[in-house]
Amino acid sequence: MKSSFDNVVRGRLNWVLLFFLTALSLLVGRLFILQIVYHNEYRALALRQHRLVREIVSNRGIIYAKEKDGTLVPLTLNNTEKNLAASPKHIKEPAAAASLIAKELGTGINEEEILKKLSNQESIYTVIAKHVSPEIAEKLALKLPPGVFFEEEMRRVYPHGNFLSHAIGFVSKESDQEEGRYGLERFYETSLSGKEGFFEGAKSASGFWVALGKRIINPPQNGSSLFLTIDYNIQFKAEEILNKTKEKWEAVSGALLVLDPKTGKILAMAARPSFDANAYSKEKDFSVFLNPLTESMFELGSVIKPITMASALAEGLIEPGSTYEDNGEVKIGGYSVKNFDGKAYHRQTMTQVIEKSLNTGAVYVARLLGKNRHREYLQKFGFGEKTGVDLPGELAGDISNLAAGRDIEFATASFGQGIAITPLQLAQAIGSLANEGKLMRPYIVEKVVNDSGNEIKKEPEIIRQVVSKESAEKVTKMLVSTVRNGFENRAGIKGYFVAGKTGTAQIPRKDGRGYSDRVIHTFVGYAPAFNPRFLILLQLNEPKGNRFAANTLTPAFHDLAEYILNYYEVPPDEK
């Protein structure tokens, strides 16, 4: 009996022992699989859970204007601002925290929205408020409960508001990454943004960074800075004059450009309406971000006549004193071209054609040139091709209507109808007449300097010799006579030779059938005429109260030109 009982006990013990041996074998096997077979896979998984790599944002490069003595004026800044964030998973009393935050942040803060964010226990990170003022942040930081904290964020700031806004553009941060939009911020995005660094560290099971093992894998490389050709004081005065002129004549829009015709350096660039780059998101009409000096085209009107004259002078077809008979009208097929006032002026010199802005005289010169040479010179002056300026979105202009070879198209092109260019192209073309016939590449960034101090400097670039020095000088004399004896006489400055020409262009109808009553006023002039320090282009779109640019723009040119001559301390030509 006892032997039978012992056998039963022994058997049960064997089963128990077998059970534990089997369990042990399974455990050992499982450990073998985890530690040996799948070692690399689980090691990588553990690293992903406890090791994080974050990007370290680089500082964006600064954009500078300058004054004549070389003093730099920053047009952009990078401000470090405070954002209020939280880890809801670690907040014990969300309602109390929400109430405190709403009370301290003040107006515009919704306590219910904050509470909703803080009550989400599945979240380990959420942003409560951005761009908290330093004063509020300092005060609130002392009262914050565990799980609520401030973190720093770099923000692009434009200290001068809408100053030079079309040329600068702005930085958008719609995602985690800043990105330049429009203007220089876009064109030089790669240079300005630099390269981000990487930060490696470990985090606890709760999701917080721990100091142990923290290290930088790769430090950031800050963006390069841009040093502009823009003169801060000339830009300021230009914007002031453009504002007054646009308001006086109630124009829909306006633009102003100042450049050095000898080098192509842009000294000022302004357009109205403009925008505040600090508050770009408030703009409803995105077209306000486009730079009308490079990203819009217009039919020129009479301001093209110096180009027509220069082309014929270069070919030896006319001289400033050459004459023609003005009957007030030219018949071309079924079309009739008349002077702007419908009058006939009879025998006139080529200089008088410019002074009185006679359409019939421009057609006369175009016929002497012939279609092929006429088109070739327009192309030499840069019409129909981009200037290559270092700004985004530049248009090439449009002279495609001349391809058909119709007489009427070439006739109207001679006095600025039927072809379209950008204001910058016009300034570049007239600038070649101020620069001994040499067409220069316009540019707005003088040098790019990286974080290490290495710089890439831009040098003036001659695109081509359009006309001879002698031909350019003859046209300049004609333009000086125009300012002194023509409709542009209010552009003159006592003691200086000033060259200039106006243009009043009708705006084509939207249906493409002829022209409307709306007009564009343009004036281009340079001084001193025979050794120019600057060229100014002014433009008003759809001004009211006066039909002719000679009345609306010449006083504005006079005021700005006089300011620049005094600013540069340019000695007078005459006493």
Side-chain angles (χ1 to χ4, degrees), residues 249-264:
W249 299 107
E250 299 178 12
V252 171
S253 59
L256 193 155
L257 179 73
V258 184
L259 59 77
D260 180 348
K262 293 182 179 180
T263 62

Side-chain angles (χ1 to χ4, degrees), residues 48-314:
R48 283 198 297 271
Q49 290 176 335
H50 294 281
R51 174 179 172 270
L52 289 179
V53 176
R54 280 189 181 175
E55 294 177 342
I56 303 175
V57 179
S58 59
N59 289 327
R60 196 170 181 86
I62 305 300
I63 300 175
Y64 295 96
K66 63 180 180 180
E67 298 180 347
K68 68 174 183 178
D69 62 359
T71 300
L72 297 177
V73 181
L75 304 180
T76 64
L77 296 173
N78 298 319
N79 280 1
T80 301
E81 297 194 343
K82 298 285 188 178
N83 293 339
L84 185 62
S87 176
K89 190 175 181 180
H90 300 91
I91 298 176
K92 295 180 179 180
E93 298 181 13
S99 176
L100 170 66
I101 293 168
K103 179 181 178 181
E104 294 294 334
L105 293 183
T107 307
I109 301 300
N110 190 317
E111 184 176 338
E112 292 183 2
E113 288 295 322
I114 298 175
L115 180 58
K116 184 178 179 181
K117 290 182 178 181
L118 299 184
S119 299
N120 182 8
Q121 292 295 303
E122 299 301 318
S123 173
I124 63 170
Y125 177 81
T126 185
V127 176
I128 300 172
K130 285 195 169 188
H131 314 316
V132 179
S133 71
E135 296 78 15
I136 293 177
E138 184 178 0
K139 181 180 177 182
L140 183 54
L142 302 174
K143 304 177 182 179
L144 291 177
V148 184
F149 51 90
F150 279 104
E151 59 183 11
E152 293 183 344
E153 178 187 34
M154 194 70 72
R155 185 188 179 199
R156 192 68 152 178
V157 176
Y158 302 88
H160 305 280
N162 64 353
F163 183 87
L164 196 66
S165 59
H166 288 93
I168 296 174
F170 57 86
V171 169
S172 170
K173 195 171 184 181
E174 296 178 0
S175 61
D176 290 338
Q177 297 292 327
E178 286 188 332
E179 183 179 359
R181 300 289 181 89
Y182 301 95
L184 295 165
E185 294 279 27
R186 174 185 165 190
F187 192 88
Y188 284 93
E189 167 65 21
T190 302
S191 298
L192 286 166
S193 60
K195 295 182 180 179
E196 294 177 334
F198 297 93
F199 175 80
E200 179 189 26
K203 68 172 183 176
S204 68
S206 300
F208 288 102
W209 287 93
V210 296
L212 185 63
K214 190 184 299 184
R215 65 189 180 93
I216 293 177
I217 300 175
N218 189 22
Q221 179 180 323
N222 292 329
S224 300
S225 291
L226 306 183
F227 294 80
L228 306 187
T229 58
I230 297 292
D231 186 294
Y232 178 83
N233 294 305
I234 295 176
Q235 177 72 28
F236 187 88
K237 188 66 175 180
E239 296 204 14
E240 179 185 274
I241 289 175
L242 180 60
N243 285 338
K244 291 180 180 178
T245 306
K246 177 181 176 295
E247 290 172 8
K248 179 178 180 179
W249 299 107
E250 299 178 12
V252 171
S253 59
L256 193 155
L257 179 73
V258 184
L259 59 77
D260 180 348
K262 293 182 179 180
T263 62
K265 292 180 180 180
I266 296 174
L267 305 176
M269 174 178 275
R272 292 295 182 271
S274 60
F275 60 92
D276 184 349
N278 297 300
Y280 68 88
S281 59
K282 295 181 180 179
E283 296 292 342
K284 304 301 180 184
D285 182 4
F286 290 173
S287 65
V288 74
F289 300 139
L290 298 176
N291 188 339
L293 289 156
T294 57
E295 297 180 270
S296 67
M297 300 184 297
F298 73 110
E299 292 192 14
L300 298 84
S302 295
V303 77
I304 197 179
K305 288 172 183 171
I307 302 299
T308 305
M309 287 293 175
S311 304
L313 282 164

Side-chain angles (χ1 to χ4, degrees), residues 320 347-358 478:
R347 186 161 296 277
Q348 296 290 302
T349 66
M350 296 299 102
T351 297
Q352 288 174 317
V353 168
I354 299 295
E355 289 176 357
K356 298 174 183 177
S357 202
L358 302 178
M478 295 167 79

Side-chain angles (χ1 to χ4, degrees), residues 514-534:
Y515 290 84
S516 68
D517 293 330
R518 297 173 298 133
V519 293
I520 298 174
H521 289 180
T522 307
F523 182 89
V524 182
Y526 49 94
F530 302 105
N531 185 23
R533 293 292 302 273
F534 59 87

Side-chain angles (χ1 to χ4, degrees), residues 559-571:
D559 291 347
L560 182 56
E562 188 173 57
Y563 171 83
I564 298 174
L565 289 168
N566 290 331
Y567 177 67
Y568 282 153
E569 300 178 5
V570 179

